Amino acid sequence: MKKIELEIVALSHSITQTHSYAVVLGEVNGLRRLPIVIGGFEAQAIAVALEKMNPSRPLTHDLMKNFLNAFAIDLHEIIICDLQEGIFYSKLVCSSDNDTIEIDSRTSDALALAVRFGCPIYTYENILESAGILMEDTAGTGKKKKAKQEVMVEETGTVTSNEDLKSLSLDELNTLLNDVLESEDYIRAIAIRDEINSRRKK
């Protein structure tokens, strides 16, 4: 199965949802984005590494990296390999000497380690097709410009409830999705995307 490379383009935070963040992955040389909801601790771990901050004591993912390095184990890549009932599943592809092993991992932990090792992030077409969001190509190039690897934290004061979404037509949902994407409110975008997908399956 062909792998599609992704990169972290943003971290989005909703102040009305305690400890709720979305890490947004962008398709390299493509127009699709994949938002994944994660916890506050994991979001902090990713942000610290992206910003190249040096905590006074190693965080959990720093400790894991130091442990792997001590035993000459390299994190070759991570793969977001499955999506079941809204939950993303990932694996770490590690190598040591001539051996390669795949280890199951929470996606948030896998991303935090990927940033620290500087290794590529991959997923599969079926996952991007079902959970990705297509961004408009405003430049008409057919490709997304490669994003700088930086953290953007977007605070939003409103969250669209499921009941509100159910009262909207499909056209209204698509319009709303475009609006929240422009404001980079990925938490709301996830809810709207899921509502659109659920209707298309019926």
Side-chain angles (χ1 to χ4, degrees), residues 13-64:
H13 174 223
S14 174
I15 60 175
T16 59
Q17 294 187 8
T18 306
H19 305 307
S20 181
Y21 288 77
V23 58
V24 184
L25 305 176
E27 181 183 15
V28 174
N29 296 322
L31 296 171
R32 291 175 292 183
R33 289 188 177 183
L34 184 66
I36 301 174
V37 174
I38 61 175
F41 174 79
E42 292 80 6
Q44 174 182 281
I46 293 170
V48 164
L50 286 172
E51 291 293 310
K52 302 187 185 304
M53 299 170 63
N54 294 312
S56 57
R57 299 295 296 162
L59 300 178
T60 301
H61 299 94
D62 297 319
L63 175 62
M64 185 65 179

Side-chain angles (χ1 to χ4, degrees), residues 4 9 18 26 29 33 64 99 159 163 180 182-183 192:
I4 298 172
V9 296
T18 306
N29 296 322
R33 289 188 177 183
M64 185 65 179
D99 295 328
V159 175
E163 292 302 319
V180 298
E182 286 183 6
S183 63
I192 297 166

Side-chain angles (χ1 to χ4, degrees), residues 166-191:
K166 292 183 184 301
S167 67
L168 300 177
S169 68
L170 195 56
D171 287 340
E172 289 172 329
L173 286 171
N174 282 308
T175 299
L176 180 60
L177 179 59
N178 289 331
D179 290 342
V180 298
L181 285 174
E182 286 183 6
S183 63
E184 296 181 341
D185 184 354
Y186 296 105
I187 295 291
R188 293 181 69 198
I190 291 171

Side-chain angles (χ1 to χ4, degrees), residues 60-174:
T60 301
H61 299 94
D62 297 319
L63 175 62
M64 185 65 179
K65 180 178 185 293
N66 294 340
F67 179 85
L68 293 174
N69 286 340
F71 289 91
I73 300 172
D74 183 50
L75 180 57
H76 179 64
E77 64 188 29
I78 74 162
I79 304 174
I80 302 171
C81 56
D82 199 6
L83 173 62
Q84 297 181 23
E85 298 181 355
I87 299 175
F88 292 90
Y89 294 82
S90 296
K91 56 187 176 183
L92 312 175
V93 181
C94 301
S95 59
S96 177
D97 295 330
N98 296 323
D99 295 328
T100 299
I101 186 172
E102 296 181 353
I103 303 172
D104 289 336
S105 171
R106 294 193 309 170
T107 298
S108 55
D109 292 329
L111 292 172
L113 286 171
V115 175
R116 284 163 171 78
F117 277 90
C119 73
I121 302 165
Y122 293 104
T123 191
Y124 298 123
E125 176 62 34
N126 64 309
I127 294 176
L128 264 184
E129 183 68 26
S130 62
I133 296 172
L134 181 64
M135 305 297 291
E136 292 185 4
D137 180 17
T138 55
T141 62
K143 293 185 178 181
K144 177 177 69 68
K145 292 183 179 179
K146 186 173 180 61
K148 294 181 180 178
Q149 197 174 55
E150 61 183 13
V151 176
M152 297 182 293
V153 178
E154 179 75 15
E155 294 189 351
T156 59
T158 58
V159 175
T160 304
S161 70
N162 289 337
E163 292 302 319
D164 291 337
L165 295 179
K166 292 183 184 301
S167 67
L168 300 177
S169 68
L170 195 56
D171 287 340
E172 289 172 329
L173 286 171
N174 282 308

